[in-house]
Amino acid sequence: MIKFSRYILVAIGILVASIVLPSLYWTIFEKVPRSPNLFYSCIKDDFIVVDGSIRKSPAGKEYTSDEYEQALPFMFYRQLMADGTMPDTIKGVKMETPSIARASSFYRYTPKRTDAPVPTLWPMLESQSGKVNLAMPEDYFRIEKRMEFIVAKTNEINEEKSMLFTDALTSEGFVFPANIIAGLPTTRKSVDEGYFITDAAGSLFHVKMVKGEPYVVRIETPEKLDIVYIEAVDLRSREYYCYVFTGNQGIFVVMDEVYDLQRLPVDGFNPSIHTFRLSADLFNKCITILGENWYEAIAVDEMYQVVGTHGEKWEGLYERPEGKMLASLFPFETRMKDENSAYVRFYFKPSPGIRWMIVNLTALIVAVVLIMRRGWPLKSNIPDLLITAVTGIYGLIATQFFPNKFSKVKPPDKK
Amino acid sequence: MLKSLLYKEWIKIRLVVWIALGLSLVALINIFLKVRHDILFVDASNYWYSFLFRGVTYFSILKFLPFIVGLAVAIAQYFPETVNKRIKLTFHLPVSENGVLIWMHSFGAGILLAVFLTVLVLFNAGSAIFFPANIIRASLLTMMPWFLGGMATYFLVALILLEPMWLFRGLYAAVAAGFVTIFYTGASIGAFEPVLAPIAVITLLLSFVVLFTGYRFRKGEM
């Protein structure tokens, strides 16, 4: 039992060392990762890559500040108007501020959104109150065995309203409980469109409150979708309600009013590791999918037809000097947080390659020398040596911090 | 004899335990008076909103309470034993040396657990007045690592105090500090959920580690 208690301590020591040492290493050596921004220019009919302070074409031609602004007239229309360089028409379309503003939008998805704790209570706003301003309701709903509204002031369930909404959901074939609930729980939006909800069977529903009555629509999907994340948006253009991210069936938008699912022309998107960006203007939408060391940009026209693609790949973390160095020093690292998740976990990251074996071997030799200098028998220290061989520096530190002296001290005779 | 042994432990820690309970009670009263006050001023629905969508927690003053209580109970229980190596007297009792230490340690851990459970039960009862089960569950999930951290602190401080050599006390303290930090990592509401089971298991395993320095103490490691 005493030996066992020592191994618990050694294990804790290894865990702590594998968190602290790499974290210290990264604090000293970490460099800002590359994360270029992409835009599609309707003037040049080509992409513009913004990488730090450099703006260039995919072919590598660098743009000056003025060229850059003129190539993206929708992004910089106020600057261009002030300069007097804003064209009157582009592609035969007359340029007017309201229509430019209405068509412009930007959206960004990161894997952290999906892998995060989510609220289980939501406010159901009145979507047609007849008032100019939206108002927060007095109650919050949850969808578990049924849909329940809880009045915040009294902390009690409003049975009447709960029954009304539960019945409306049931009659549309909703299977309780809800899985994903997505909406914009704020009054700072142009209109209220309620919530987009998936049920226990994976079907998609639109639920809102119109003049106190439930409004429920079952949204038909072209095939059974493995929906992992939904994000409702408040577009001034009222083009679509929300983005729907699936595990491996791609990304969809749910079109406003008609509830058609439009698939975005993106392949190989993995919502648990990839970032998604979409910037829209009057003519095009520029979609960018970012991995750890690559991006793929796709430009589409207003009918979602692809008009251009561009991709780039650069050195991954473990190909760069600082990453190589880490992978040589440590056999693995442990983190409590990860850039792809909002949850705290033990994120175990094994180092690629086998260069760390050299350091592990050195650690093992040091351990052997230390044991021999103390005159301890090697035989009774085999577990320690194995631990050091596998976990390298971490194991060496942990086994020395909690020394194995059981072999040396003879147990005294019981009195 | 076991009864007298446990009574001796109780004498050592009782003052700390009563102070800990008193402080926790004051903290809880403070929390719920403040919730009541804020709900009167900003309306219950807005108060819920700030919890659900802005991540504002009403119980953050409880964060380091378990850590302080765990630390205090461990010091109260084990520091007197290290003065003049008094614990050696205990080891001379006609019971197994490990057995005595296990009883002492289980008693301390049990009392600490009882204090923590009392706080959690009272917290739950107070929260139920103002909030629905969803908010209480999210709150408990957020607080759980803090209380587990309190237990881990108790186990590790006992380990450090019983260690006979100052050098190793320092080394253990470094590991303990690194480990206890995990429990108090800043995170959003409910973010610890996936890691709760593993850290609970590790904390349970930590209850054994005092045997290691207990052994070193007995064998007169210098």
Side-chain angles (χ1 to χ4, degrees):
Chain A
M1 191 118 92
I2 296 165
K3 281 198 176 175
F4 174 63
S5 68
R6 176 174 175 262
Y7 287 118
I8 295 170
L9 287 168
V10 169
I12 302 274
I14 291 170
L15 176 71
V16 170
S18 73
I19 293 172
V20 172
L21 295 180
S23 135
L24 196 67
Y25 176 91
W26 286 125
T27 313
I28 300 167
F29 296 108
E30 190 168 26
K31 294 197 173 72
V32 183
R34 236 188 112 188
S35 175
N37 272 311
L38 276 106
F39 302 99
Y40 191 77
S41 162
C42 60
I43 303 290
K44 300 191 182 289
D45 281 323
D46 202 355
F47 291 95
I48 292 177
V49 186
V50 181
D51 201 350
S53 58
I54 297 164
R55 300 111 172 185
K56 57 181 187 190
S57 70
K61 181 182 177 298
E62 279 192 34
Y63 295 121
T64 63
S65 177
D66 282 346
E67 284 171 333
Y68 171 59
E69 284 168 7
Q70 280 165 17
L72 296 170
F74 299 123
M75 234 168 85
F76 297 103
Y77 69 90
R78 292 201 305 171
Q79 181 63 49
L80 295 185
M81 278 173 178
D83 294 346
T85 48
M86 183 75 188
D88 291 335
T89 62
I90 297 174
K91 296 185 175 177
V93 177
K94 194 156 185 286
M95 289 299 106
E96 283 165 328
T97 312
S99 56
I100 295 172
R102 210 179 301 123
S104 300
S105 72
F106 182 78
Y107 172 72
R108 184 179 130 101
Y109 163 89
T110 59
K112 243 186 188 144
R113 305 277 188 95
T114 315
D115 201 29
V118 285
T120 48
L121 291 170
W122 300 83
M124 181 67 82
L125 279 72
E126 170 56 57
S127 60
Q128 279 180 28
S129 63
K131 303 282 181 199
V132 180
N133 292 326
L134 293 167
M136 267 295 164
E138 294 286 294
D139 52 12
Y140 287 78
F141 73 85
R142 63 183 174 205
I143 308 180
E144 288 162 8
K145 283 184 188 122
R146 56 178 190 147
M147 185 160 175
E148 288 175 319
F149 286 85
I150 306 161
V151 182
K153 191 160 261 162
T154 57
N155 194 18
E156 278 166 3
I157 292 168
N158 180 340
E159 282 297 336
E160 198 188 337
K161 197 172 176 186
S162 303
M163 291 276 275
L164 191 67
F165 274 80
T166 304
D167 289 346
L169 279 175
T170 312
S171 65
E172 285 289 318
F174 189 93
V175 186
F176 290 90
N179 187 12
I180 301 169
I181 300 179
L184 292 166
T186 168
T187 52
R188 300 173 69 179
K189 55 186 177 184
S190 57
V191 289
D192 177 69
E193 284 298 348
Y195 291 87
F196 292 85
I197 302 173
T198 61
D199 68 358
S203 308
L204 182 59
F205 293 83
H206 182 200
V207 182
K208 61 180 172 179
M209 183 163 75
V210 180
K211 296 192 164 57
E213 293 292 319
Y215 168 98
V216 180
V217 172
R218 187 191 185 97
I219 301 171
E220 296 304 328
T221 52
E223 53 189 314
K224 181 106 180 75
L225 294 181
D226 160 34
I227 300 172
V228 294
Y229 184 73
I230 303 172
E231 180 138 336
V233 285
D234 179 34
L235 295 181
R236 275 169 292 189
S237 64
R238 311 249 71 80
E239 190 179 353
Y240 44 83
Y241 290 123
C242 61
Y243 292 93
V244 175
F245 292 85
T246 64
N248 54 12
Q249 291 151 303
I251 305 160
F252 296 82
V253 288
V254 178
M255 306 310 280
D256 205 281
E257 302 265 337
V258 293
Y259 295 107
D260 279 345
L261 261 78
Q262 171 69 50
R263 190 178 190 279
L264 299 178
V266 169
D267 289 313
F269 181 76
N270 181 348
S272 54
I273 48 173
H274 296 154
T275 297
F276 168 91
R277 289 188 198 141
L278 185 146
S279 61
D281 62 33
L282 212 46
F283 297 118
N284 303 102
K285 291 183 180 64
C286 178
I287 300 166
T288 320
I289 308 297
L290 282 110
E292 192 253 318
N293 63 332
W294 57 267
Y295 68 77
E296 190 66 49
I298 302 120
V300 298
D301 62 14
E302 61 266 45
M303 301 307 291
Y304 293 90
Q305 297 303 308
V306 177
V307 293
T309 59
H310 171 60
E312 210 183 322
K313 197 172 184 304
W314 56 93
E315 282 184 324
L317 175 67
Y318 293 110
E319 291 156 16
R320 297 198 292 271
E322 69 269 24
K324 272 185 188 163
M325 175 86 159
L326 178 101
S328 316
L329 284 174
F330 307 113
F332 60 90
E333 70 174 301
T334 313
R335 287 192 202 173
M336 297 313 294
K337 290 186 173 178
D338 186 81
E339 65 264 33
N340 288 337
S341 173
Y343 280 116
V344 176
R345 286 195 188 98
F346 290 113
Y347 294 97
F348 177 79
K349 293 179 185 289
S351 296
I354 50 162
R355 273 173 315 225
W356 48 266
M357 279 187 177
I358 299 167
V359 175
N360 278 26
L361 197 66
T362 318
L364 184 62
I365 293 167
V366 173
V368 171
V369 169
L370 285 173
I371 290 167
M372 297 205 348
R373 266 181 51 182
R374 289 168 189 153
W376 297 352
L378 273 182
K379 210 173 161 188
S380 58
N381 283 291
I382 286 173
D384 277 18
L385 295 178
L386 278 176
I387 290 169
T388 309
V390 174
T391 60
I393 296 178
Y394 309 142
L396 180 67
I397 292 173
T399 51
Q400 296 308 312
F401 272 34
F402 301 103
N404 180 17
K405 289 206 178 167
F406 305 115
S407 49
K408 188 187 153 202
V409 185
K410 284 197 188 101
D413 301 323
K414 282 254 172 185
K415 282 171 191 166
Chain B
M1 188 168 65
L2 181 63
K3 220 173 139 190
S4 336
L5 179 81
L6 296 187
Y7 185 61
K8 181 197 74 175
E9 295 308 303
W10 173 239
I11 291 172
K12 280 189 289 180
I13 60 173
R14 62 186 174 186
L15 183 65
V16 170
V17 170
W18 293 128
I19 292 175
L21 274 175
L23 270 181
S24 312
L25 212 60
V26 170
L28 287 170
I29 291 171
N30 176 297
I31 287 172
F32 292 114
L33 282 180
K34 199 165 176 326
V35 168
R36 190 188 146 272
H37 167 270
D38 291 356
I39 281 180
L40 277 178
F41 272 71
V42 303
D43 228 38
S45 57
N46 290 325
Y47 198 81
W48 288 23
Y49 188 89
S50 57
F51 180 93
L52 292 165
F53 301 106
R54 295 214 182 95
V56 179
T57 53
Y58 56 99
F59 46 81
S60 41
I61 58 165
L62 285 182
K63 183 164 185 176
F64 292 106
L65 189 93
F67 170 76
I68 295 166
V69 174
L71 186 73
V73 171
I75 291 175
Q77 196 183 355
Y78 289 102
F79 180 70
E81 301 288 359
T82 59
V83 178
N84 300 330
K85 311 212 161 166
R86 279 177 201 156
I87 200 168
K88 290 216 161 171
L89 295 174
T90 313
F91 289 145
H92 282 100
L93 294 172
V95 246
S96 93
E97 295 169 334
N98 266 339
V100 166
L101 195 55
I102 289 170
W103 273 112
M104 286 170 67
H105 207 50
S106 313
F107 180 76
I111 295 285
L112 192 61
L113 195 64
V115 171
F116 288 170
L117 284 178
T118 311
V119 175
L120 286 173
V121 166
L122 290 176
F123 175 82
N124 210 4
S127 299
I129 302 170
F130 303 103
F131 303 111
N134 307 58
I135 289 182
I136 300 174
R137 185 179 173 274
S139 304
L140 288 176
L141 274 178
T142 310
M143 286 161 56
M144 210 44 75
W146 308 343
F147 283 84
L148 284 172
M151 295 303 292
T153 306
Y154 170 78
F155 296 136
L156 288 168
V157 172
L159 169 94
I160 294 165
L161 285 176
L162 278 191
E163 165 62 41
M165 286 172 77
W166 274 102
L167 170 69
F168 285 101
R169 279 189 179 173
L171 298 181
Y172 301 169
V175 174
F179 185 67
V180 171
T181 307
I182 292 174
F183 296 84
Y184 297 96
T185 308
S188 55
I189 294 170
F192 264 85
E193 192 172 359
V195 85
L196 276 181
I199 61 174
V201 171
I202 298 175
T203 307
L204 197 65
L205 287 174
L206 272 181
S207 59
F208 287 97
V209 300
V210 78
L211 293 177
F212 176 66
T213 46
Y215 176 86
R216 287 168 58 82
F217 199 100
R218 268 152 44 205
K219 301 303 168 212
E221 187 65 56
M222 287 300 188

